[in-house]
Amino acid sequence: MSLHQLKRHFPWITLVVLILLVGAMDPTFLRPQNLMELGADIAPLFIMALGMTLAIYIGGIDLSAQSVANMTTVLATLSLPYLGVFSALLIAVVGLLFGAFSGLVTTRLKVPSFIATLAVGGLALSVGQFASGQRALHMDVAARDQAFGWMFGRTAGIPHELVVSLGLLAIAWFIQSRTTAGRTLKAVGAGELAAVASGIRVERYKVLAFALSGLFAAIAGLMFSVKLSGGSPTLAEGFLLPAIVAVLVGGTPLTGGVGGVVNTLIGTMIVAVVRASMLYLNIPATGQQIFFGIVLIVAIALTIDRSKMRIVK
């Protein structure tokens, strides 16, 4: 097997090695119940990373995901007393609109996606700060349980957050692998100029990718809000970098066209195991961000397709 062929298997090999190393430090880590708890804890990050995958899959990036998630924790908390479970619909629409706006700025105004999404993230942050009065908000526990009690708790020992996130993975996988839109997104990521030459309306599908990214970020924000019973314009702070790392170490490069949402599941578990190991080693949150920054640089250097980027500026 050549190095190029082996490269596809690096993510799951890395995951297995990390699990064994952390298991050697703490044998209780390998208990199935402990691993399910780990999956439940990382569920909002995984959902955010799922949406990010679709943006990176086309060769773009969505830096607004964290701000959209923060904003939706505020909107979910404020709308719950009036809309109940239908506040989830409001959250979904808002996420789609912010994501679609990022896509329109990128495609119509020809603004690079990292600038467009950074700007849209600033808008989302401002909305969250204005709506919350720049303070933490608290949900009514009874209303939360009535509307979103199904989102947490357990059935047969399996955390509901895990079931929700795997259900969203199945939906994202179906979109990516079993629909014309998904196959078109891959074509755009693999070679946008070739896709344009073949008559594909590339701009429409790029807007779709960013809209879906915004949707998943909003759902992640809703789960944050429900789990923590409140909202804040900074509730999901610190999740953007690990979400990008999860996508890249899972095998979806910034240049797009390969990888996908199943790879992101592996990448997110790698991030989860690394975070767990740093907790065992008593590494503070600032140290974790430094580590993920280094991992991000290494992941980009190892996965990027340089044939698509002959000049780097």
Side-chain angles (χ1 to χ4, degrees):
M1 182 179 291
S2 67
L3 180 62
H4 179 72
Q5 292 173 317
L6 187 61
K7 198 173 180 180
R8 293 185 307 160
H9 304 289
F10 279 171
W12 68 263
I13 292 173
T14 301
L15 177 60
V16 171
V17 170
L18 285 173
I19 288 175
L20 293 177
L21 286 175
V22 179
M25 289 192 292
D26 181 5
T28 62
F29 178 79
L30 297 176
R31 293 177 180 171
Q33 194 60 41
N34 189 58
L35 293 176
M36 282 196 291
E37 285 289 347
L38 185 66
D41 288 341
I42 210 75
L45 173 63
F46 173 57
I47 294 169
M48 186 186 297
L50 275 180
M52 185 87 67
T53 304
L54 298 174
I56 293 177
Y57 196 52
I58 62 169
I61 193 162
D62 185 359
L63 299 182
S64 69
Q66 178 178 279
S67 296
V68 170
N70 280 326
M71 175 189 65
T72 54
T73 67
V74 173
L75 297 182
T77 304
L78 291 174
S79 63
L80 178 63
Y82 305 100
L83 299 178
V85 70
F86 293 105
S87 60
L89 181 60
L90 170 67
I91 296 307
V93 171
V94 169
L96 274 170
L97 289 176
F98 270 81
F101 185 53
S102 292
L104 288 170
V105 171
T106 299
T107 56
R108 299 293 174 87
L109 301 182
K110 307 301 180 184
V111 177
S113 60
F114 78 95
I115 293 295
T117 56
L118 192 62
V120 171
L123 292 176
L125 175 63
S126 298
V127 171
Q129 289 176 331
F130 176 78
S132 67
Q134 300 194 46
R135 59 189 175 85
L137 304 175
H138 301 283
M139 278 185 175
D140 178 81
V141 175
R144 180 201 67 175
D145 291 349
Q146 182 178 2
F148 298 109
W150 51 271
M151 194 176 280
F152 54 94
R154 294 172 177 275
T155 298
I158 300 174
H160 290 180
E161 303 100 304
L162 197 57
V163 176
V164 171
S165 58
L166 291 177
L168 290 170
L169 170 63
I171 293 171
W173 174 84
F174 181 82
I175 292 171
Q176 176 196 304
S177 304
R178 293 290 183 266
T179 67
T180 301
R183 289 188 286 271
T184 304
L185 294 180
K186 181 174 183 177
V188 171
E192 186 170 335
L193 293 178
V196 171
S198 65
I200 295 173
R201 300 186 66 177
V202 168
E203 290 189 356
R204 175 182 296 180
Y205 289 98
K206 291 177 77 171
V207 171
L208 173 64
F210 284 105
L212 289 173
S213 182
L215 171 63
F216 279 94
I219 295 172
L222 177 62
M223 183 172 282
F224 272 124
S225 187
V226 171
K227 281 174 69 72
L228 300 178
S229 193
S232 163
T234 58
L235 194 64
E237 209 67 29
F239 274 76
L240 180 63
L241 189 57
I244 297 173
V245 169
V247 177
L248 297 182
V249 300
T252 304
L254 277 178
T255 41
V258 296
V261 293
V262 174
N263 296 67
T264 298
L265 173 62
I266 298 173
T268 306
M269 289 307 298
I270 290 173
V271 169
V273 174
V274 169
R275 288 179 68 181
S277 66
M278 287 193 282
L279 290 175
Y280 286 129
L281 298 173
N282 295 316
I283 297 175
T286 52
Q288 294 179 28
Q289 288 294 98
I290 292 171
F291 177 82
F292 282 123
I294 294 171
V295 170
L296 180 60
I297 294 171
V298 173
I300 292 172
L302 292 177
T303 62
I304 200 164
D305 184 354
R306 287 169 178 79
S307 66
K308 298 181 182 178
M309 300 180 67
R310 298 178 186 273
I311 299 174
V312 178
K313 296 183 179 181

